[in-house]
């Protein structure tokens, strides 16, 4: 009997990576239906390549067999990017997890896509170097996923996001060929910036197989403090005040009163209870520069009506303050059966206004929405507390999501600051991106992936182009 097309495909994969590196039993597929937020369909198979050569052959096989191919890191994405709506093949990079080199002379590292963000940070620190991009999922998320989402984090305020550190990429395009962009050069204007094109492309243009990142010297010292405010507007105003004073904090994280309440109940004593808003500010610099910087932050807060609540005396206290920030996600998870975590970005001067608008939207829809985020960058995470089993509450939550996006766009903001569009936000792309810009994006997609096999159903809105 001739093997079915499905069996032939699985055998073909086994010939490339070895049978032990192909999963296809239905019971093993179910965990791949999810990422950090979305639920998709089970893939037909999951393959674990060991190098770029194997990835190239996998892409060729998927293209011949007409199978969608979905790259996957740790699956912590928050926009459905690593899930599939229509079967297909998931390429899991857990075997491509080597830090190939760290060069102190060039202050650069070359890593495989399956390297965990925190492992790179630690390896760089071992050489007295610093890799700043720090998504809160640092302990599990991969560099491949970070590049594909252009992930950010608290330190984005001073240092920038993943894309600001990627110097070069090696990737496999939909025709199964190897594409090399950039390199170790800090300056490189030889033609179009293809590295930047692939950063943030969410696995829809190419499959990343190696990443060269730039590193910085470790900051000499840091200082961490908490400031409290009587309103989110006042906390937001402080962000603008700091900018007006040319104060460059490493991180400026905001939490509204609902977030403070949730964290307080999860980690008692970690935050000033009853605060309407809190800013966590971390400063970097030579030790003697920190105190004068901190005084200027306090002045900026005072202008907006805020005050210092806690100043970390040492590293242990600094970590305790950050523990409160890290506790947000688990603490919100306990407050309601379902949490819809969103991600919008507004100009830093509009942070307070945006959070106030979100609270109005919550009240108008009889919902609770906790808001926190990277205020220094204007990147906010409204988290709607709801219950998937309650149809009416979920419908109100959907209305609230649409209202939040509309408000962000009205304030000159954008649909996503770091989580990407994926499948969960694609329907809003026509509202959030200029028509011509969307058409150019489609042209790029068609050029690099004419048959649409790379991560289909992501970024672009459904329906006619
Ligand atoms: C608790 C929590 C906190 C978070 N905090 C932050 C935060 O502070 N900042 C932030 O930006 N994000 C944050 N995230 C979201 C998420 O962690 C990031 O988007 C991260 O970059 C995803 O990495 P991953 O390895 O999990 O990728 P996955 O979720 O597996 O994949 C994400 C996308 O990358 C693509 N992809 C993966 N590997 C490759 C590759 N080799 N080539 C091409 N495409 C690839 C996938 O197809 C998918 O589209 C958080 C998530 C959680 C659950």
């Amino acid at each position: 009997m001739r093997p079915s097309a499905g069996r032939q495909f699985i055998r073909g994969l086994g010939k490339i990576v070895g049978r032990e590196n192909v999963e296809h039993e239905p019971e093993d597929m179910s965990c791949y239906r999810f990422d950090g937020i979305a639920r998709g369909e089970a893939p037909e198979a999951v393959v674990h390549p060991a190098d770029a050569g194997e990835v190239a052959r996998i892409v060729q096989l998927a293209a011949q067999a007409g199978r969608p191919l979905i790259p996957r890191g740790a699956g912590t994405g928050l926009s459905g990017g690593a899930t599939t709506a229509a079967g297909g093949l998931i390429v899991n990079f857990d075997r491509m997890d080597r830090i190939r080199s760290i060069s102190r002379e060039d202050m650069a590292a070359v890593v495989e896509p399956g390297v965990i963000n925190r492992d790179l940070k630690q390896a760089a620190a071992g050489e007295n170097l610093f890799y700043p991009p720090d998504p809160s999922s640092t302990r599990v998320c991969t560099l491949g996923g970070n590049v594909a989402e252009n992930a950010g984090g608290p330190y984005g305020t001073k240092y920038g996001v993943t894309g600001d550190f990627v110097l070069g990429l090696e990737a496999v395009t939909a025709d199964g060929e190897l594409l090399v962009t950039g390199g170790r050069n800090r300056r490189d204007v030889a033609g179009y910036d293809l590295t930047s094109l692939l950063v943030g492309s969410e696995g829809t243009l190419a499959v990343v197989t190696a990443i060269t990142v730039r590193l910085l010297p470790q900051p000499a010292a840091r200082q961490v403090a908490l400031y409290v405010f009587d309103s989110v507007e006042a906390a937001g105003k402080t962000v603008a005040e700091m900018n007006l004073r040319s104060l460059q904090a490493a991180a400026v994280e905001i939490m509204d009163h609902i977030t403070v309440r949730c964290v307080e109940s999860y980690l008692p004593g970690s935050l000033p209870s009853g605060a309407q808003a809190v800013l966590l500010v971390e400063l970097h610099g030579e030790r003697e520069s920190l105190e004068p910087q901190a005084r200027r932050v306090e002045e900026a807060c005072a202008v907006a009506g805020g005050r210092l609540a806690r100043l970390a005396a040492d590293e242990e206290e600094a970590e305790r303050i950050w523990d409160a920030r890290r506790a947000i996600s688990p603490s919100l998870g306990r407050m309601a059966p379902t949490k819809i975590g969103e991600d919008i970005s507004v100009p830093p001067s509009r942070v307070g206004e945006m959070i106030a608008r979100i609270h109005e939207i919550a009240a108008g829809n009889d919902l609770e929405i906790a808001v926190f985020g990277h205020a220094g960058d204007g990147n906010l995470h409204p988290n709607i507390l709801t219950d998937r089993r309650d149809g009416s509450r979920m419908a109100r939550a959907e209305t609230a999501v649409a209202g939040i996006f509309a408000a962000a766009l009205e304030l000159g903001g954008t649909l996503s600051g770091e989580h990407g569009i994926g499948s969960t936000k694609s329907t809003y792309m026509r509202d959030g991106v200029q028509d011509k810009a969307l058409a150019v994006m489609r042209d790029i997609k068609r050029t690099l992936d004419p048959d649409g096999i790379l991560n289909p159903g992501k970024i672009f809105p459904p329906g006619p182009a």
Side-chain angles (χ1 to χ4, degrees):
M1 203 172 74
R2 278 166 60 85
S4 69
R7 273 187 190 285
Q8 262 179 9
F9 181 57
I10 305 288
R11 274 193 200 161
L13 291 171
K15 281 187 190 151
I16 297 170
V17 296
R19 275 168 52 186
E20 66 284 12
N21 294 309
V22 183
E23 296 175 83
H24 58 92
E25 297 302 336
E27 61 271 23
D28 296 331
M29 295 299 99
S30 43
C31 64
Y32 292 102
R33 294 174 68 175
F34 305 91
D35 69 354
I37 195 168
R39 180 195 174 117
E41 296 299 319
E44 180 180 349
V46 178
V47 64
H48 303 255
D51 57 37
E54 289 186 2
V55 174
R57 289 172 65 200
I58 291 166
V59 173
Q60 284 158 12
L61 184 69
Q64 278 158 17
R67 300 293 205 282
L69 185 150
I70 302 98
R72 185 174 173 107
T76 67
L78 293 173
S79 55
T83 62
T84 168
L89 175 67
I90 283 187
V91 182
N92 185 322
F93 288 95
D94 56 352
R95 293 176 66 220
M96 292 179 66
D97 63 349
R98 282 185 321 135
I99 296 175
R100 287 191 192 155
S101 64
I102 294 185
S103 160
R104 291 180 65 184
E105 293 89 341
D106 287 334
M107 289 175 57
V110 181
V111 302
E112 293 180 347
V115 168
I116 305 290
N117 177 288
R118 189 174 67 167
D119 291 349
L120 174 59
K121 279 179 168 302
Q122 287 178 343
E127 302 289 339
N128 203 23
L129 292 170
F130 180 41
Y131 178 67
D134 57 343
S136 306
S137 49
T138 175
R139 290 175 195 186
V140 278
C141 68
T142 66
L143 262 292
N146 294 170
V147 168
E149 300 291 8
N150 199 1
Y155 288 159
T157 297
K158 177 165 184 168
Y159 300 101
V161 296
T162 302
D164 296 308
F165 288 84
V166 180
L167 293 174
L169 293 171
E170 176 195 89
V172 174
T173 46
D175 54 7
E177 289 192 17
L178 207 60
L179 168 71
V180 175
T181 73
R184 274 192 198 187
N185 299 305
R186 299 300 173 109
R187 295 184 182 205
D188 183 350
V189 292
Y192 297 139
D193 186 351
L194 296 180
T195 306
S196 292
L197 176 65
L198 296 189
V199 170
S201 64
E202 303 190 22
T204 63
L205 297 181
V207 183
V208 174
T209 52
I211 304 154
T212 303
V213 293
R214 137 183 115 83
L215 302 169
L216 300 178
Q218 278 284 341
R222 70 168 177 168
Q223 188 183 82
V224 179
L226 272 183
Y227 300 86
V228 283
F229 300 84
D230 295 333
S231 68
V232 284
E233 286 91 340
K237 188 175 171 201
T238 302
V239 175
E241 277 296 327
M242 286 170 67
N243 285 344
L244 282 171
R245 288 154 198 259
S246 303
L247 256 168
Q248 182 64 87
V252 184
E253 294 289 297
I254 196 165
M255 299 174 223
D256 72 349
H257 67 287
I258 303 172
T259 310
V260 170
R261 197 188 72 218
C262 293
V263 172
E264 254 296 279
S265 78
Y266 183 81
L267 214 58
S270 61
L271 289 175
S273 52
Q276 286 304 301
V278 165
L279 284 185
L280 186 169
V281 179
E282 176 165 323
L283 301 170
H284 287 177
E286 297 299 328
R287 190 158 296 284
E288 54 281 10
S289 76
L290 294 178
E291 210 185 301
Q293 274 192 74
R295 262 201 310 276
R296 293 175 62 213
V297 174
E298 232 180 299
E299 282 163 19
C301 285
V303 168
R307 62 192 184 282
L308 178 68
R310 212 166 285 170
L311 181 67
D314 52 29
E315 266 303 298
E316 203 180 307
E317 256 191 79
E319 276 307 296
R320 272 213 299 279
I321 292 179
W322 273 107
D323 281 344
R325 170 64 180 85
R326 294 183 197 112
I328 293 176
S329 221
S331 75
L332 293 178
R334 289 196 330 169
M335 302 312 277
T338 308
K339 168 172 82 90
I340 302 178
E342 275 308 342
D343 164 51
I344 44 112
S345 197
V346 291
S349 61
R350 313 303 288 270
V351 163
E353 198 180 344
M354 184 66 220
I355 302 180
R357 292 279 291 270
I358 295 169
H359 288 159
E360 279 166 29
I361 290 166
N365 288 286
D366 193 18
L367 291 165
E368 253 199 329
I369 307 182
V371 191
F372 61 94
H374 317 303
D377 275 349
N379 183 199
L380 298 173
H381 298 312
N383 272 244
I384 304 175
L385 306 179
T386 178
D387 184 349
R388 206 170 288 284
R389 298 161 302 186
D390 180 339
S392 139
R393 206 165 149 194
M394 284 305 283
R396 283 182 276 124
E398 290 300 322
T399 308
V401 168
I404 290 169
F405 291 152
L409 296 175
E410 222 178 285
L411 295 183
T414 178
L415 295 175
S416 175
E418 58 182 19
H419 295 168
I421 297 299
S423 54
T424 58
K425 286 192 184 183
S426 57
T427 48
Y428 296 97
M429 277 292 274
R430 285 197 188 87
D431 304 328
V433 175
Q434 188 224 13
D435 289 348
K436 178 67 181 169
L438 193 57
V440 171
M441 289 185 201
R442 284 192 197 275
D443 286 345
I444 292 169
K445 170 73 175 166
R446 272 192 287 267
T447 302
L448 282 178
D449 181 19
D451 297 324
I453 66 155
L454 294 181
N455 216 358
K458 313 294 158 60
I459 298 180
F460 297 102

